[in-house]
Amino acid sequence: MGKNFKIGVIMILFLAIIVFAGPLIAPYDPNDVNMSIRLQGVTSAHIMGTDQLGRDLFSRLVYATGTSVKISLVVVIVSMVIGFVFGSTAAFLGGAVDEFLMRIIDVFMAFPTKIFTIAIAGILGASAFNITLALIITSWAVYARMVRGCVLTAKEMPFIDAATALGANRFYTIIKHVLPSVFQPLSTFAFQRIAHTMMAIVGLSFIGLGVQPPTPELGAMISESKNFMSTAPHLFIFPGLLISYVVFSFNILDDSLRDYWDPRIKSELAL
Amino acid sequence: MIRYIFRRLLYLIPVLILTSFLAYMLVYLSPSSPAQIILQSRYSGDPTQEQINDFNQEYGFDQPILIQYASWLKNAVRGDLGKSLSDGSEVLDDFIYSFKASAELYFSSQLLALIIALPIGVYSAFKANSIFDRISRAYSLVGMSIPDFWLGMLLVYVFSIVLNLLPSFGYTSPQNIILPMLALGLSSSFSLIRLVRTSVLEVLHLNYIRTARSKGLSEGQIMMKHALRNALIPIVTVVGIHLTHFIGGAVAVETMFAWPGLGNFFAKAAGNQDIPVIQGFVLLSAVFFIFANLIIDIICKQLDPRIDYQNEGGKNNG
Amino acid sequence: MSCLIEAVNLTKVFKDKHFSVFNKKEITAVDNVSLTVNSSESVGIVGESGCGKSMLGKMLVGLTLPTKGSVCYNGREISKLTFNEMKKLRPRLQPIFQDADSTLNPKFTVKKLLEEPFVINKIPKDEANQRIDELLNYVNLGKEFYNRYPHEISGGQRQRLGLARALSLKPDFIVADEPAASLDSSVQAQILQLLNQMKSNNGLGLVYVSHNLRIVSMMTQRVNVMYLGSFVETGDTKDVFENPIHPYTKMLIGSVLTIDGEKRKLGTKKVFGEPPDPKNRATGCAFHPRCDQCTQICKEERPELKKVGEKNRFVACHNI
Amino acid sequence: MNSKLKKLLCFGMAALMLVGSVGCSNVGASGKTNQTELKVAYGKDTNVISEKGNPDMLVAIFAGERLVEVVNGEVVPSIAESWEVKNDGSCISFKIKKGLKFSDGTDLTAKEVRLIFDRNIALKSFQWTEMDRVEKIEVPDDYTINFYYKDGMDGYIALAGFAEYGNTIIGSNSFQTPGDPTTPIVKYTSLGAWKISEYVKDQYTTFVPNENYKGDAVKLEKITVNTITDDEARVLAIQSGDVDVIVDYYHGGSAYTPRNLLSTLKEGGVQVLKQEMPMTTVLAFNYTNNDNWKNIKLRQVMNYAINKDEIAGLFDGWITPANDAYFSDCSPFTTSLGVQSYKYDPEKAKQLLAECGLTGFSPKMLVNSDNTDEVKMAELLKSMLLESGINLQLEVMDATKYADAKKGADWDVTSYYIGGPERRIYSRNEGRFDPSTPEFGASGCYTSETIVSAVQKAVDPFDVNERKAGFKEFYAAIDAEAACVPLYYNAVFVVAKDGVEGIKFIGTEPTFDNVTYKK
Amino acid sequence: MNKEKLLEVEKLNIKFLTSIGDVNVSENINFHLKRGEIFCIVGESGCGKSVVALSLTRLLPENAMINGSIKFEGVDIANLEDKEFAKIRGRKIATIFEQPMSCINPVMRIGNQIAETYRANFKCSKKEAKEQALKKLKEVKLPINRYNSYPHELSGGMQQRVMIAIALACNPQLLIADEPTTSLDVTVQYQILELLQEIKEKYNMAILMITHDMAVVHDMADTIGVMYAGNMMEIAARDAFFQQPLHPYAQELLNVVKDPCNYTIPGTVPNLMESFLGCPFEPRCNKSTEICKTKKPEDIVMGKRIVRCLNVVPN
């Protein structure tokens, strides 16, 4: 499957450890204030330095990554489920129901995603829950459209005809043939969207519409660190590197998978 | 062709109506009433019932929702989207002003991205799997993982704080645009390199390129006349869609550089719960977005004669 | 006893699929076609691409319902059956598709594909396994393929797998739609022989749809020549091929390349024109723009199938 | 098609380049800073063109004059040369100076003076909270203006209110319909040392000397005030040399130079000018909704449990910890007071908390996310209170949500400031501690009858000595009741590059009238 | 040097270097072609016939290793510099492919595609090129008002005519036709083959035709080459071949094509990934002997015929 795939898998595994075993890794409590050592650079006690309240940056980063990644997972999974229900309903029922649902999807797709997300998050008020909700509202339609397309394509596949000719009823063909053909592209797509959603979350937190302190979150941490760009650049450099790490690990895995499925552009990226 | 556009426009009517309705209804997501939100910020104390009533009457919030919506829509069609609650300026004027600022930043950054990405992407595809290709792919994959606002901060750190060469914010002098343009342009160029590479590579594998070789054309001619021309179709589509994303797409960078663009302006309005501004911006950006997508579709049809005007239904891009 | 399959006046009309207020085009894919097939008989349908022959095949096995007309299986009209009745009937009527590749779900293993017909029809495992063994033996596929996926086996093997699936429920009637196109000649021969064997061993009725006239002439007893949705000539294969009457049949047969005899002389036979576009059907006789015997009436009036001579021969042409 | 396509592409490219070049060449002059121009960064739009309400305070400071000013606790003449209180205290009558001219050359009479008050009443502009108590305004002659109060005036606090920036006198040509104060302000004309020459919303405002000004002429030729709403961006702007000065703005609780960056700026060779002001940031209790706070012991717990020095440390010592008491050294009449306040003592706090029987007490604190210093401070408070066994829950939200949430019952503590420039110390204290005032929200500091009567004694009397005694009583009452937790005394700052000289504070507002700039 | 021989291929070996190993697609292939002659290479899919055709004009992917000599008009073009070779490709050797739809640029007018070929090989004005293109359109019997059409507006047969017109643009001496009629209807196939014959007569050029269809071979070829698993098993004149093929594979193939309902070749086509010790056809051959398993057969020249079989005795 290629070197990139291995790199991606290792990176994601490492990320999973950070996300799900964060409290075990972090050497300090992320909210443990110690004013006497504020704004320290890299030291042996604090491998990534401390922030303006003297909290250990490394511990905060571990928790912050957990927050961002968990939110993106929730957003992707929930909107995928909603999109799946909507999209497959539209495709299977067809006719007027399809027309109607498609118009709804069109309307949701007619908004520039970021503006729409900001509007919802702004009106609801900034919090982790609301940002999750806003992102779900703005992203389910993409999945729905995609699922609908996949179902329609799968419905037309000759092997559906073949199964029908063997006496299969609709229920059987849907369960055994149509849905499995939708799951693969859908899960691939959802996989790609994790990185995308992650970027959206840190962006929104950066402008102050996302997760609120004291919960550590990568985008919000960068936003806070703007104050100290000249005096304590480690405060913005480390969280940024971590975001890039997370997004990169999803990107490289997605990239290698895409190469794997598309043999024409098969090639390996040397790193 | 004209008929096709007409049909697309006709098809847009229900979408536009539903879109405007949704934009209007956004406000009702809010846990508190508009009167309270606004009066709260206007007077620093609790508004009295009398003040709330006056306010509702003045802004028509005492009417049933559908009537409110109808009158709002009626005014909106006439170009009157109401006034900002925070400073009383016309929403439409605000939109146009920040639209201009966003457009300047975004178009120039996308131009920069194209200038960077086209040669790299094409060369990379042409020399697929060469050292250059590997480096450029790694470069773009890493670049794609960097948030644009963080790239902006790095640029500010290097050029404003350490080197003290360029201004880090604002909208007053020509130098102001350089850093935000670099931040946005670079981060778009990363994915664009990949796109250009993939589309060119895909075209290069097609049979008509082999035909072109067999015809005796030089590699340069093949690249310019056959490969690029065809690879351009997906590139134009994506760049077009990218361009429409300047509505809000650059919000973090705009905030970072205090650029008075749509995203920045809108994020502030959303934070302040400035309802007419939110409604107006959402509606205007949706309308712009829909029509921009229509135009992209039409351009793509111009580029690609294979697309049949007669049989295409409405298609939207997200 | 009536015949196995009797199709009367089958018509299939498509609406333009795309949503549009202004132009609703209708495409008549199959136009007023009647056909009968008996047990142990094989009937050919030939024509250029886009003439509607595949659609006709689908209607014959009940995969698509005709817009007009009826298909009767052993005297029962299948479009009027309830779902459950139809479900029972399905295994009797089997299609074999041109593109075996896409008729096999790529996510199923060969084993699963073979078991599917029995799972669908709730046939006990023992019986099914025994039957599968027989089938594999019959189509000459080894058990070593059991755990492979369709894309991991060769085209000929895939086509044989498709055949095995179609045969698994012991059908009476098979529509084979270009079963051997795009296969190499040696592989093609294996498939054709299997089909013939099936027909003679199991006594089933076969409709063979193809544009390859040489194979149709070898495989079938009767043949129907189709042009733009309707039959222009029907009759016993031997007669039609030896003595084509309709100008289109003549053209088709004239364009067949053989491997016997002399090299052809240039310009001896008149073959011209392109396969027609179903969206723009000519008025009158659909063939008249390509016909060298075209007269005024051909441009205005549609010819009906008329009996010619003694032996079951029908031709739709004004000029005979 | 090919030619059409080429045209299309060329057109597209041309359009792109056009937009790009517009982007690069747009928005006016940059030029090099010369010695007679000063660039100022300011956190808000100056709102010179105002539909409702009035232009920003900064405009009033630079370009405006009011009837009176308050200096060192005393009301002094400005446009009004004298005033008297008539009709048993229900009328104030001002005599206006003669011969003053607005910046557009029109003369000032009492008719022009009343315009701004008419505007504030008509548009319900509550910048001056007492305005709804005014019954009518009369202009008996060109140089007299009388204000009549509904229920008798509120004494000193009402008189000081005429020095509010919202009451800055503007000319009749300022309005869209000249002379109609209910129409939008479109062309600001006033009486101060500067006048506005150019204004672009959300971008910049340019001030040039007002040649009709009667006082001493200003030394600079031009001041450009750039609107930079982002705190960090303003700091970056002065670091990168885009502006010469940042003017702090703390009224309204936002748009100020982050305190924790002042040291960095100073190290970078920038002057930091500080002006103490009688403004105290306190932690207030939601006692109306939460009965726990009615227990004085719990309020004392909070006072003992917070180490104010650490809070000052968060801001690198640029602000003074409120170690002494609620009032700061520069609060009115404080020099002779000897109130003993609560010293940091976590053990005592623990002990008192146990006495209250509130183990596991976890109050919820509302935090305004727009104020990043406040967010940091809240996080610090959380960790400090934890040591005394109080688990503070933070609810961080943006300004509007914050204001909204504060009305509800679902919170326990929040922090805000009381006081401000001298004229405001009167209305702010009254507004926070006297529930009968319009400004008093559901979320005032803890108050009691003693405090209410004390605050009225402090802000109302005309007589200085009466007010002095009143304030003494008021400060003591707050301390005795532990009405809030004073955290720190705020200050305003002006940050200026080397070479900018002559920035002075009048009261708490900076003036640039004598500023010179040598590079 | 035989002047008659336009193209002479000797000991052509082609290997694909892939990550899973080398694939031999052509082993020691020898054949030659005269002016005015149609040479048909026939074989089942995967036997390497298209690779041989593509190798003549250097259209193979970069991982292909070509060894041997290819003499065109007496010049060894296999070892020419790319720059020199460019003067031959398109101008003297032209190629048409199967699936014409995918082989012509979908977004370029067909007339321009023909004219472009002419301009790329001969320095001339646009106008001249257009005239030439119109002439070629007429030659392939397309109405000249199709000059400005796009490929998708044409039917499959017309598209193949466009391909032929493009190939003819520079009046080449050798036309390589790779499965030119696969996927076309019988009626259209007939017309295209007829067109090819006419053109050959007119220009006295040589056609190297690749096909899997024996009927097409019978119709077109002057000389036939039968390929199997990268080996040219037999080369013979058309009549001689159809009367009596010599190689067992050729015999079997002909039998199957003649009577598909009664005749089969047992086994399947070998995978080229495997390497053969002996004759690649040996596992399916009914005349194989022990030696076939271990010894590679060599070309046996019998007059104008060449057979690569160990069991054929040269007469």
Side-chain angles (χ1 to χ4, degrees), chain A residues 31 33 35 38 52-53 55 60 122-126 208-209 212-214 223-224 226-231, chain D residues 230 232 236 239 258 260-261 264 310 313-314 316 369 372 375-376 379-380 382-383 394 396-398 401:
Chain A
N31 293 319
V33 172
M35 292 296 285
R38 53 195 293 263
Q52 60 270 48
L53 289 177
R55 294 173 293 196
R60 283 184 70 73
I123 286 172
L124 290 175
L209 283 174
Q212 295 297 328
S223 178
E224 286 169 19
K226 277 193 291 182
N227 272 339
F228 306 98
M229 271 175 79
S230 49
T231 45
Chain D
D230 199 58
E232 290 82 13
L236 286 172
Q239 283 174 335
N260 48 32
L261 287 181
T264 315
E310 281 210 346
L314 182 63
D316 293 323
S369 67
T372 50
V375 178
K376 286 275 115 9
E379 290 183 61
L380 182 57
K382 181 183 165 75
S383 91
L394 303 188
V396 187
M397 53 194 80
D398 61 57
K401 279 272 152 16

Side-chain angles (χ1 to χ4, degrees), chain B residues 29-43:
Chain B
L29 279 173
S30 175
S32 40
S33 81
Q36 280 202 319
I37 297 168
I38 293 146
L39 291 172
Q40 186 90 45
S41 59
R42 188 178 291 175
Y43 318 120

Side-chain angles (χ1 to χ4, degrees), chain C residues 61-118:
Chain C
V61 288
L63 277 178
T64 305
L65 291 181
T67 315
K68 263 185 263 170
S70 64
V71 180
C72 295
Y73 168 77
N74 279 337
R76 294 164 77 195
E77 192 177 334
I78 58 174
S79 55
K80 288 189 179 155
L81 293 181
T82 64
F83 187 86
N84 280 336
E85 286 171 319
M86 190 60 206
K87 188 170 162 24
K88 271 179 217 150
L89 198 60
R90 285 244 185 249
R92 308 263 72 92
L93 315 166
Q94 281 299 312
I96 294 170
F97 298 92
Q98 171 179 7
D99 186 4
D101 203 5
S102 59
T103 58
L104 304 173
N105 190 332
K107 292 187 184 61
F108 281 30
T109 56
V110 169
K111 182 162 189 267
K112 216 172 157 192
L113 283 167
L114 282 168
E115 283 167 353
E116 196 186 14
F118 302 104

Side-chain angles (χ1 to χ4, degrees), chain E residues 13 19 28 44 48 77 85 110 150 191 214 271 273 280 282:
Chain E
N13 281 292
S19 51
N28 268 331
E44 292 177 288
I77 57 169
F85 186 76
I110 57 163
Y150 284 103
Q191 298 169 58
M214 266 304 176
N271 187 343
M273 290 296 298
E282 180 274 331

Side-chain angles (χ1 to χ4, degrees), chain C residues 7-9 17 23 31 52 78 81 86 105 119 134 144 162 167 189 195-196 212 214 236 257-258 283 296 317:
Chain C
V8 184
N9 297 337
K17 255 190 184 174
N23 48 345
D31 194 357
I78 58 174
L81 293 181
M86 190 60 206
N105 190 332
V119 173
E134 284 172 35
E144 68 267 24
L167 289 180
L195 276 174
N196 266 341
N212 190 332
R214 235 162 50 76
D236 288 350
L257 304 174
T258 59
T283 53
Q296 193 54 36
C317 181

Side-chain angles (χ1 to χ4, degrees), chain D residues 276-279 327-334 422 490:
Chain D
E276 302 269 1
M277 61 173 170
M279 176 144 83
F327 52 89
S328 75
D329 283 347
C330 60
S331 296
F333 320 115
T334 52
E422 279 183 69
N490 223 320

Side-chain angles (χ1 to χ4, degrees), chain D residues 15-257:
Chain D
L16 269 175
M17 282 175 177
L18 197 71
V19 174
S21 60
V22 166
C24 293
S25 64
N26 195 43
V27 213
S30 59
K32 280 172 193 147
T33 321
N34 58 40
Q35 294 180 346
T36 52
E37 185 186 347
L38 194 69
K39 288 191 177 169
V40 176
Y42 189 59
K44 268 176 92 180
D45 179 39
T46 53
N47 202 24
V48 170
I49 293 175
S50 344
E51 178 96 2
K52 290 183 178 171
N54 298 310
D56 186 73
M57 202 187 91
L58 184 99
V59 178
I61 296 172
F62 275 33
E65 302 262 283
R66 289 143 293 276
L67 279 170
V68 294
E69 299 291 342
V70 178
V71 178
N72 295 330
E74 289 298 317
V75 179
V76 298
S78 180
I79 288 172
E81 53 185 12
S82 66
W83 57 88
E84 56 183 314
V85 179
K86 296 198 277 195
N87 298 6
D88 304 329
S90 68
C91 169
I92 305 181
S93 175
F94 290 96
K95 283 272 176 240
I96 293 158
K97 283 180 188 164
K98 290 177 185 165
L100 295 181
K101 274 187 197 313
F102 284 103
S103 54
D104 63 343
T106 54
D107 291 323
L108 169 86
T109 66
K111 248 194 300 185
E112 277 77 42
V113 173
R114 78 171 286 170
L115 287 174
I116 190 67
F117 297 100
D118 285 345
R119 176 177 179 82
N120 289 342
I121 292 168
L123 300 181
K124 292 191 179 174
S125 169
F126 277 60
Q127 285 185 354
W128 179 32
T129 52
E130 300 300 308
M131 195 44 87
D132 59 345
R133 295 184 187 174
V134 170
E135 190 181 21
K136 63 176 178 182
I137 303 170
E138 270 181 6
V139 181
D141 61 67
D142 272 0
Y143 297 99
T144 310
I145 183 163
N146 299 332
F147 295 86
Y148 294 91
Y149 284 79
K150 286 172 192 161
D151 312 311
M153 65 174 282
D154 241 345
Y156 189 78
I157 187 176
L159 186 59
F162 286 96
E164 282 283 343
Y165 287 123
N167 297 332
T168 299
I169 311 301
I170 57 176
S172 62
N173 289 335
S174 300
F175 303 104
Q176 197 168 42
T177 312
D180 182 355
T182 56
T183 56
I185 295 173
V186 291
K187 191 171 153 268
Y188 191 82
T189 57
S190 58
L191 300 150
W194 298 90
K195 66 175 183 182
I196 290 163
S197 70
E198 217 184 331
Y199 166 69
V200 178
K201 185 172 154 32
D202 289 329
Q203 291 302 308
Y204 60 93
T205 315
T206 317
F207 293 92
V208 294
N210 176 7
E211 59 271 21
N212 291 317
Y213 181 57
K214 292 285 186 251
D216 298 336
V218 296
K219 304 220 168 110
L220 291 167
E221 280 179 5
K222 195 172 163 193
I223 297 180
T224 307
V225 176
N226 289 302
T227 306
I228 307 171
T229 50
D230 199 58
D231 300 342
E232 290 82 13
R234 284 198 301 282
V235 173
L236 286 172
I238 198 165
Q239 283 174 335
S240 62
D242 295 322
V243 298
D244 310 308
V245 174
I246 303 175
V247 176
D248 228 22
Y249 168 84
Y250 209 85
H251 314 269
S254 59
Y256 58 96
T257 316

Side-chain angles (χ1 to χ4, degrees), chain C residues 48-49 184-186 189 193 196 214 218 254-255 257-261 263-264 267 269 271-275, chain E residues 44-45 155 158 185 187-191 193-194 215 218-222 238 256-258 260-264:
Chain C
E48 287 163 308
S49 49
D184 277 319
S185 0
S186 61
Q193 285 170 31
N196 266 341
R214 235 162 50 76
M218 290 178 217
S255 65
L257 304 174
T258 59
I259 55 167
D260 308 310
K263 196 169 175 171
R264 73 159 138 140
K269 288 169 195 153
V271 178
F272 45 85
E274 300 275 338
Chain E
E44 292 177 288
S45 49
S155 68
M158 284 159 122
D185 267 308
T187 48
V188 181
Q189 164 175 305
Y190 191 90
Q191 298 169 58
L193 294 179
E194 198 161 72
H218 183 269
D219 191 55
M220 294 287 287
D222 297 319
R238 171 185 173 276
V256 165
V257 175
K258 271 183 184 157
C261 295
N262 296 310
Y263 211 94
T264 47

